[in-house]
Amino acid sequence: MICRLCPRSCGAMRTETLSGGVCAAPALPVVARAMLHQWEEPCLTGERGAGAVFFSGCNLRCCFCQNGAISRGGVGKPVTVERLREIFRELIAQGAACIDLVTPTHFTPAILEALGDWNWPVPVVWNSSGYERPETLRLLEGSVQVYMPDLKYAVADLAGAYSGAADYFSWASAAILEMFRQTGPYRMENGLLKSGVLIRHLVLPGALENTRRCIDWVARTFRPGEVLFSLMSQYTPQPEAAGRLGRHVTKAEYRSAVEYMANCGITDGYTQERTSAKEEYTPEFDLREISHP
């Protein structure tokens, strides 16, 4: 295919075997890990965990990514559409509270084929960077019950410097509105999220103004009870990090962000313990559960 799935619209040729584009991926899925993941928000993990499928490659490729081994490093194993569908079923059989598709955008057609028309017994979660084309998201209507986009940036200079995407906010804000159009206000059952939009924002060191602007947009755009918001403190400096990215978020920075979120009236959602900023919260991408058992 000539790929224009994401806002990069790079027009790269991607086939079952040929990789291309910013995501540096073929058309068929490349998966680095499938697992019951305990470190998503409580409304997604249930008793056993979210059924996370970590896809390789990324259209955003943030310089501070904790999953750099798969987003930029190419770790992963190609799987067929049929095998991907089996992986979903295996995770459900293990007790997964949802099917958590992590960084799925560049594999949208194959994922849709794997999901098919089957009425899956748990919600399908689209766990993405937020850097999405609304036209691509419309293809997912009816197949995805929960959208979990990042809202990484509202400051263009920061988005350009860290992700090479100065246009990030215009695309992410439009994408989130499309996600909400599809799902409507979030719906919970017995403490688990069954449908809706859960927006994540990772507080970055030295970037509180960016965080405030992201919170402002959410508070201005949605009424209480419409979306969930997760304010994350887990930024972990990577070995090559320099400048302010070379340190953790301070207690004062995160406390200020939490207070600002509350003052803006956002009460539906989550904050994080600062102990979440640890390397052990990043899964080991060892290709387990990818090959046929």
Side-chain angles (χ1 to χ4, degrees):
M1 65 174 172
I2 302 297
C3 188
R4 302 195 186 279
L5 289 171
C6 84
R8 302 287 189 188
S9 196
C10 59
M13 173 62 74
R14 297 172 58 211
T15 70
E16 291 187 3
T17 57
L18 179 65
S19 300
V22 175
C23 65
L28 278 182
V30 181
V31 181
R33 182 79 190 271
M35 63 182 290
L36 294 180
H37 191 27
Q38 298 289 345
W39 305 115
E40 303 289 37
E41 282 74 3
C43 64
L44 297 177
T45 58
E47 295 181 357
R48 300 292 301 278
V53 181
F54 290 87
F55 293 98
S56 300
C58 181
N59 66 323
L60 201 55
R61 301 168 73 90
C62 306
C63 66
F64 54 82
C65 182
Q66 290 177 219
N67 294 345
I70 61 173
S71 64
R72 301 190 302 274
V75 172
K77 178 181 177 63
V79 299
T80 64
V81 167
E82 292 75 18
R83 177 59 190 143
L84 184 59
R85 186 182 299 120
E86 289 177 359
I87 289 171
F88 298 162
R89 290 173 175 160
E90 289 163 7
L91 289 168
I92 291 169
Q94 293 169 35
C98 64
I99 295 300
D100 180 16
L101 305 171
V102 185
T103 320
T105 304
H106 46 299
F107 298 123
T108 297
I111 290 171
L112 277 172
E113 188 178 349
L115 291 172
D117 296 326
W118 196 48
N119 185 22
W120 295 90
V122 298
V124 175
V125 180
W126 195 259
N127 180 348
S128 81
S129 70
Y131 196 49
E132 304 266 20
R133 287 174 62 93
E135 296 88 343
T136 301
L137 293 172
R138 290 185 194 113
L139 301 174
L140 302 170
E141 189 164 6
S143 296
V144 170
Q145 289 72 51
V146 174
Y147 285 99
M148 187 162 63
D150 291 338
L151 183 58
K152 293 180 182 290
Y153 309 107
V155 174
D157 289 350
L158 209 64
Y162 291 170
S163 300
D167 59 352
Y168 175 90
F169 179 74
S170 62
W171 285 106
S173 56
I176 291 169
L177 290 174
E178 170 59 23
M179 294 170 182
F180 182 73
R181 182 197 68 78
Q182 292 184 25
T183 68
Y186 72 87
R187 181 173 63 87
M188 305 275 284
E189 289 182 10
N190 300 318
L192 294 177
L193 183 59
K194 296 299 182 179
S195 65
V197 178
L198 194 168
I199 302 168
R200 282 174 159 178
H201 174 74
L202 176 66
V203 180
L204 295 172
L208 273 178
E209 180 58 26
N210 178 62
T211 292
R212 294 186 187 106
R213 291 193 194 180
C214 289
I215 291 172
D216 284 342
W217 182 81
V218 173
R220 185 173 65 247
T221 305
F222 298 104
R223 296 189 297 269
E226 290 191 330
V227 300
L228 293 167
F229 186 76
S230 182
L231 186 68
M232 304 172 76
S233 65
Q234 68 185 49
Y235 173 79
T236 304
Q238 298 305 293
E240 68 276 11
R244 60 188 180 184
L245 289 181
R247 66 170 175 83
H248 289 279
V249 172
T250 66
K251 291 181 180 179
E253 284 174 322
Y254 189 64
R255 183 171 59 247
S256 177
V258 170
E259 291 172 354
Y260 194 83
M261 173 180 163
N263 290 338
C264 287
I266 298 177
T267 57
D268 297 325
Y270 303 93
T271 55
Q272 252 185 344
E273 298 292 334
R274 291 186 66 257
T275 53
S276 298
K278 294 180 179 179
E279 287 79 1
E280 54 261 39
Y281 286 83
T282 301
E284 184 179 354
F285 299 115
D286 54 9
L287 310 184
R288 268 184 284 174
E289 303 192 28
I290 304 305
S291 300
H292 284 276

